[in-house]
Coordinates of all heavy atoms in Angstrom, one line a residue:
D582 N 60.8 134.9 101.8 CA 61.3 136.1 102.5 C 62.8 136.4 102.1 O 63.4 137.3 102.7 CB 61.3 135.8 104.0 CG 62.1 134.7 104.5 OD1 62.8 134.1 103.6 OD2 62.2 134.4 105.7
G583 N 63.3 135.7 101.1 CA 64.6 136.1 100.5 C 65.8 135.3 101.1 O 66.9 135.6 100.7
T584 N 65.6 134.3 101.9 CA 66.7 133.5 102.4 C 67.2 132.6 101.2 O 66.4 131.9 100.6 CB 66.2 132.6 103.5 OG1 65.7 133.4 104.6 CG2 67.4 131.7 104.1
T585 N 68.5 132.6 101.0 CA 69.0 131.8 99.9 C 69.9 130.7 100.3 O 70.4 130.6 101.5 CB 69.9 132.7 99.0 OG1 70.9 133.3 99.8 CG2 69.0 133.8 98.4
N586 N 70.1 129.7 99.4 CA 70.9 128.6 99.7 C 71.6 128.2 98.3 O 70.9 128.2 97.3 CB 70.1 127.4 100.2 CG 70.9 126.1 100.5 OD1 72.0 126.2 101.0 ND2 70.3 125.0 100.1
Y587 N 72.9 127.9 98.4 CA 73.6 127.6 97.2 C 74.4 126.3 97.3 O 74.9 126.0 98.4 CB 74.6 128.7 96.8 CG 74.0 130.1 96.5 CD1 73.8 131.0 97.5 CD2 73.7 130.4 95.2 CE1 73.2 132.2 97.2 CE2 73.1 131.6 94.9 CZ 72.9 132.5 95.8 OH 72.3 133.7 95.5
A588 N 74.6 125.7 96.2 CA 75.5 124.6 96.1 C 76.9 125.1 96.2 O 77.2 126.2 95.7 CB 75.4 123.8 94.8
D589 N 77.8 124.4 96.9 CA 79.2 124.9 97.1 C 79.9 125.2 95.8 O 80.7 126.1 95.7 CB 80.0 123.8 97.9 CG 79.6 123.7 99.3 OD1 79.0 124.7 99.8 OD2 80.0 122.7 100.0
S590 N 79.5 124.4 94.7 CA 80.2 124.6 93.4 C 79.9 125.9 92.7 O 80.6 126.2 91.8 CB 79.9 123.4 92.5 OG 78.5 123.3 92.3
V591 N 78.8 126.6 93.1 CA 78.4 127.8 92.5 C 78.5 129.0 93.4 O 78.3 130.1 92.9 CB 77.0 127.7 91.9 CG1 76.9 126.4 91.0 CG2 76.0 127.7 93.0
K592 N 78.9 128.8 94.6 CA 78.9 130.0 95.5 C 80.0 131.0 95.0 O 81.1 130.6 94.6 CB 79.3 129.5 96.9 CG 78.2 128.8 97.7 CD 78.7 128.4 99.1 CE 77.5 127.8 99.9 NZ 77.9 127.3 101.2
G593 N 79.6 132.3 95.0 CA 80.5 133.3 94.6 C 80.4 133.6 93.1 O 80.9 134.6 92.6
R594 N 79.7 132.7 92.3 CA 79.6 132.9 90.9 C 78.1 133.0 90.5 O 77.8 133.8 89.5 CB 80.1 131.6 90.2 CG 81.6 131.4 90.4 CD 82.1 130.3 89.5 NE 81.5 129.0 89.7 CZ 80.9 128.3 88.8 NH1 80.8 128.7 87.5 NH2 80.3 127.1 89.1
F595 N 77.2 132.4 91.1 CA 75.8 132.4 90.8 C 75.0 133.2 91.8 O 75.4 133.1 93.0 CB 75.2 131.0 90.7 CG 75.7 130.2 89.5 CD1 76.7 130.6 88.8 CD2 75.0 129.0 89.3 CE1 77.2 129.8 87.7 CE2 75.5 128.2 88.2 CZ 76.5 128.6 87.4
T596 N 74.0 133.9 91.4 CA 73.1 134.6 92.3 C 71.6 134.3 92.0 O 71.2 134.5 90.8 CB 73.3 136.1 92.3 OG1 74.7 136.4 92.6 CG2 72.5 136.8 93.3
V597 N 70.9 133.9 93.0 CA 69.5 133.6 92.8 C 68.7 134.8 93.4 O 69.1 135.3 94.4 CB 69.0 132.3 93.5 CG1 69.2 132.3 95.0 CG2 67.6 131.9 93.1
S598 N 67.7 135.2 92.7 CA 66.8 136.3 93.2 C 65.4 136.0 92.8 O 65.1 135.1 92.0 CB 67.3 137.6 92.6 OG 67.2 137.6 91.2
R599 N 64.5 136.8 93.3 CA 63.1 136.5 93.2 C 62.3 137.8 93.2 O 62.5 138.7 94.0 CB 62.6 135.6 94.3 CG 61.2 135.2 94.4 CD 61.0 134.1 95.4 NE 59.6 133.7 95.6 CZ 59.2 132.7 96.4 NH1 60.1 132.0 97.1 NH2 57.9 132.5 96.5
D600 N 61.3 137.9 92.3 CA 60.4 139.0 92.3 C 59.0 138.5 92.5 O 58.4 137.9 91.6 CB 60.5 139.7 90.9 CG 59.7 141.0 90.9 OD1 58.7 141.2 91.7 OD2 59.9 141.8 90.0
N601 N 58.5 138.6 93.8 CA 57.2 138.0 94.1 C 56.1 138.7 93.4 O 55.0 138.1 93.2 CB 57.1 138.1 95.6 CG 58.0 137.2 96.4 OD1 58.4 136.1 95.9 ND2 58.4 137.6 97.6
A602 N 56.3 140.0 93.0 CA 55.2 140.7 92.4 C 54.9 140.1 91.0 O 53.7 140.2 90.6 CB 55.6 142.2 92.2
V603 N 55.8 139.5 90.3 CA 55.6 138.9 89.0 C 55.8 137.4 89.1 O 55.9 136.8 88.0 CB 56.4 139.6 87.9 CG1 56.0 141.0 87.7 CG2 57.9 139.5 88.3
N604 N 56.0 136.9 90.3 CA 56.1 135.4 90.4 C 57.2 134.8 89.6 O 57.0 133.8 88.9 CB 54.8 134.7 90.1 CG 53.6 135.2 91.0 OD1 53.8 135.2 92.2 ND2 52.6 135.7 90.4
T605 N 58.4 135.5 89.6 CA 59.5 135.0 88.8 C 60.7 134.9 89.6 O 61.0 135.7 90.5 CB 59.7 136.1 87.7 OG1 58.5 136.2 86.8 CG2 60.9 135.6 86.8
V606 N 61.5 133.8 89.4 CA 62.8 133.6 90.0 C 63.9 133.7 88.9 O 63.6 133.3 87.8 CB 62.8 132.3 90.8 CG1 62.6 131.1 89.8 CG2 64.1 132.2 91.6
Y607 N 65.0 134.2 89.3 CA 66.1 134.4 88.4 C 67.4 133.7 88.9 O 67.5 133.5 90.1 CB 66.4 135.9 88.2 CG 65.2 136.7 87.8 CD1 64.5 137.4 88.8 CD2 64.9 136.9 86.5 CE1 63.4 138.2 88.4 CE2 63.8 137.6 86.1 CZ 63.0 138.3 87.1 OH 62.0 139.0 86.8
L608 N 68.2 133.4 87.9 CA 69.5 132.8 88.3 C 70.6 133.5 87.4 O 70.6 133.3 86.2 CB 69.6 131.3 88.1 CG 70.9 130.7 88.5 CD1 71.0 130.7 90.1 CD2 71.0 129.2 88.1
Q609 N 71.3 134.4 88.0 CA 72.4 135.1 87.3 C 73.7 134.2 87.5 O 74.1 133.9 88.6 CB 72.7 136.5 87.9 CG 73.8 137.2 87.3 CD 73.6 137.6 85.9 OE1 72.5 138.0 85.5 NE2 74.6 137.4 85.0
M610 N 74.2 133.8 86.4 CA 75.4 132.9 86.4 C 76.6 133.6 85.7 O 76.5 134.0 84.6 CB 75.0 131.6 85.6 CG 73.8 130.9 86.1 SD 73.5 129.3 85.3 CE 73.1 129.9 83.6
N611 N 77.6 133.8 86.5 CA 78.8 134.5 86.1 C 80.0 133.5 86.2 O 79.9 132.5 86.9 CB 79.1 135.7 86.9 CG 78.0 136.8 86.8 OD1 77.4 136.9 85.8 ND2 77.8 137.5 87.9
G612 N 81.0 133.8 85.5 CA 82.2 132.9 85.6 C 81.9 131.5 85.2 O 82.4 130.6 85.9

């Protein structure tokens, strides 16, 4: 349902997302 959880070390830099239609999860890593 889209609830996310992050390690403290990556908060504000990484973003996790998910496309249920294609059963794929992504991790956008910045900085």
Side-chain angles (χ1 to χ4, degrees):
D582 64 1
T584 302
T585 57
N586 182 38
Y587 294 93
D589 288 342
S590 59
V591 306
K592 284 181 180 177
R594 299 189 297 125
F595 291 11
T596 302
V597 62
S598 60
R599 178 173 175 173
D600 187 339
N601 292 327
V603 292
N604 301 306
T605 300
V606 63
Y607 306 95
L608 185 67
Q609 178 66 44
M610 304 185 293
N611 299 327

